[in-house]
Amino acid sequence: MIAVQSSASLRPYNTFGIETFAERLIHIRTPEEAQKALERFGPPSYILGGGSNVLLTQPLEGTTWLTRIGGIAVGEANERSVVVAAGSGVVWNDLVQWAVQRQLGGIENLVLIPGTVGAAPIQNIGAYGVELKDAFVRLEALHLPTGQYHVFWPEDCRFGYRDSFFKREGRGQYLILRVWLRLRKKGYRPNVAYRALANWLVEKGIHAPTIAQVAHAVAAIRTSKLPDPAMWGNAGSFFKNPILLQEAVAALKEQYPTMPSWPAGHSMVKIPAGWLIEQCGWKGRREGPVGCHERQALVIVNYGGATGAQVWAFAQKVRASVQEHFGVELEPEVQVW
Ligand code: EPU
């Protein structure tokens, strides 16, 4: 039996802590339940994983599915690596902890990212120099219009910076059921190239860090600047870091020599949205129940009782101010529904 709720509050299911309702809410715990829900109610209007990358600005009409497909299983292994399959409803950080405890490498830099395993490929989650795509092997998904199962290999997913096929052409078309990742064993050296991470380790006198030490370092850095969604409603970075042409960045740097930037390939350069927002005076600024976090300007926070529309209106103001000041357009990183 599938569990169907009518007029269900979505407050527990979005990390912004926005109160709104789903006309019909179904918990999908197995692929079979997804098939049943599909037969009975047709394709869902919305699919929610951990609700950690979404801003709900209105009630969700039609059917919303909550993906809760569990299970972590070990597949093909050799001396150097092992392939691990995880259900799309597994909490991402539980999978990271599972891997770290077994000294399996490759996703330790992604520790504490909120959300589910199934959402990870959709936006190619990334942090501290590593992206989901670096460990990704394949995924299995249910094609909602036809009820057929499909396997997606890396090239099918068209991963980009916080981007994939599932955010573009495939948007709303698939329910991700299971994700396979390759985790490393013998001979693996963690990726500690990200500056903040490298600095943290050096300061602690750690020169050849273990997988667990990297996970610990990333967790320490994250918690020192990112607000815990359990305390303060937020969805991590609200905007993406803009990627501009080298010439445009060079022109900006003439005016703002201290602006950080990183090469992003193909004559493109990435600049930090958090820096731009801070320069515009938004860091730590609040308007009613919404504000930019005081230690990470890129994180917009619901300090209590904000509506999605209020958060969105605040975000628009921030965006307009960066546009006016720097002529740079910020693109939301969270999905706005
Ligand atoms: N910065 C400021 N002011 C701020 C925030 C940042 O000047 O208020 C500057 C920092 O000093 C640094 C640069 O901006 O020079 C980058 O800051 P940080 O290392 O904190 O990372 P970020 O670019 O703001 C990105 C991801 C995060 C991820 C971190 C670490 C995006 C949109 N965000 O943030 O991902 O955790 O790097 O890898 O790419 C998320 O996607 O929700 C998320 C939290």
Side-chain angles (χ1 to χ4, degrees):
M1 272 288 281
I2 50 172
V4 183
Q5 284 171 267
S6 297
S7 229
S9 168
L10 292 174
R11 180 129 183 233
Y13 304 121
N14 74 100
T15 61
F16 251 122
I18 302 291
E19 179 64 292
T20 188
F21 292 85
E23 191 179 344
R24 185 184 295 127
L25 186 68
I26 306 182
H27 292 244
I28 304 290
R29 291 161 298 198
T30 60
E32 294 69 37
E33 286 193 346
Q35 287 284 8
K36 279 201 189 121
L38 203 53
E39 280 161 26
R40 205 160 137 204
F41 298 106
S45 311
Y46 299 93
I47 299 174
L48 268 178
S52 58
N53 201 47
V54 67
L55 174 63
L56 303 172
T57 62
Q58 56 187 347
L60 302 187
E61 284 177 16
T63 306
T64 297
W65 286 6
L66 274 180
T67 58
R68 295 294 179 265
I69 300 172
I72 301 177
V74 176
E76 321 130 44
N78 59 37
E79 212 185 324
R80 298 180 73 86
S81 72
V82 57
V83 174
V84 170
S88 58
V90 170
V91 171
W92 172 260
N93 192 51
D94 290 351
L95 178 63
V96 175
Q97 299 297 349
W98 181 96
V100 171
Q101 277 159 19
R102 286 161 182 77
Q103 297 180 51
L104 297 174
I107 54 173
E108 60 280 3
N109 299 45
L110 308 180
V111 69
L112 285 190
I113 295 187
T116 55
V117 165
I122 296 180
Q123 69 147 359
N124 183 25
I125 57 169
Y128 301 94
V130 172
E131 288 184 336
L132 184 275
K133 73 169 170 52
D134 303 329
F136 181 85
V137 176
R138 66 180 186 276
L139 64 79
E140 186 187 29
L142 179 66
H143 185 232
L144 298 166
T146 60
Q148 302 284 311
Y149 293 104
H150 281 228
V151 172
F152 287 81
W153 297 93
E155 58 277 19
D156 306 320
C157 298
R158 283 183 250 142
F159 291 122
Y161 165 57
R162 297 292 191 275
D163 196 31
S164 78
F165 167 80
F166 302 101
K167 253 185 145 174
R168 296 180 176 271
E169 303 89 326
R171 193 188 175 118
Q173 300 284 302
Y174 294 90
L175 174 74
I176 295 177
L177 300 168
R178 212 172 329 218
V179 178
W180 282 259
L181 301 178
R182 184 176 297 283
L183 301 177
R184 309 285 164 180
K185 300 198 290 189
K186 202 171 168 195
Y188 173 74
R189 298 208 13 223
N191 177 341
V192 293
Y194 197 89
R195 191 179 301 166
L197 175 56
N199 290 346
W200 194 95
L201 291 164
V202 167
E203 271 170 33
K204 297 280 180 295
I206 301 170
H207 295 291
T210 61
I211 291 164
Q213 282 173 323
V214 171
H216 177 74
V218 170
I221 301 168
R222 283 187 76 94
T223 45
S224 74
K225 42 184 181 181
L226 293 173
D228 178 359
M231 298 273 297
W232 305 109
N234 76 89
S237 303
F238 195 91
F239 299 102
K240 288 189 191 185
N241 286 328
I243 298 178
L244 308 178
L245 279 169
Q246 223 160 31
E247 298 82 70
V249 174
L252 275 171
K253 283 218 172 190
E254 268 183 31
Q255 247 186 307
Y256 308 99
T258 59
M259 184 181 78
S261 65
W262 304 272
H266 307 288
S267 308
M268 304 298 281
V269 178
K270 199 190 260 188
I271 56 174
W275 186 90
L276 299 171
I277 295 169
E278 179 174 349
Q279 297 301 306
C280 293
W282 289 98
K283 194 171 187 168
R285 192 152 126 201
R286 271 171 79 158
E287 290 189 356
V290 191
C292 281
H293 189 59
E294 73 265 15
R295 277 173 278 134
Q296 229 302 2
L298 191 47
V299 179
I300 295 183
V301 179
N302 169 11
Y303 287 101
T307 63
Q310 279 176 312
V311 174
W312 184 230
F314 180 87
Q316 301 280 38
K317 271 195 180 178
V318 171
R319 175 146 78 164
S321 134
V322 168
Q323 173 76 51
E324 195 186 328
H325 202 90
F326 293 100
V328 173
E329 196 174 331
L330 295 182
E331 190 192 328
E333 198 242 349
V334 301
Q335 314 236 23
V336 182
W337 288 352

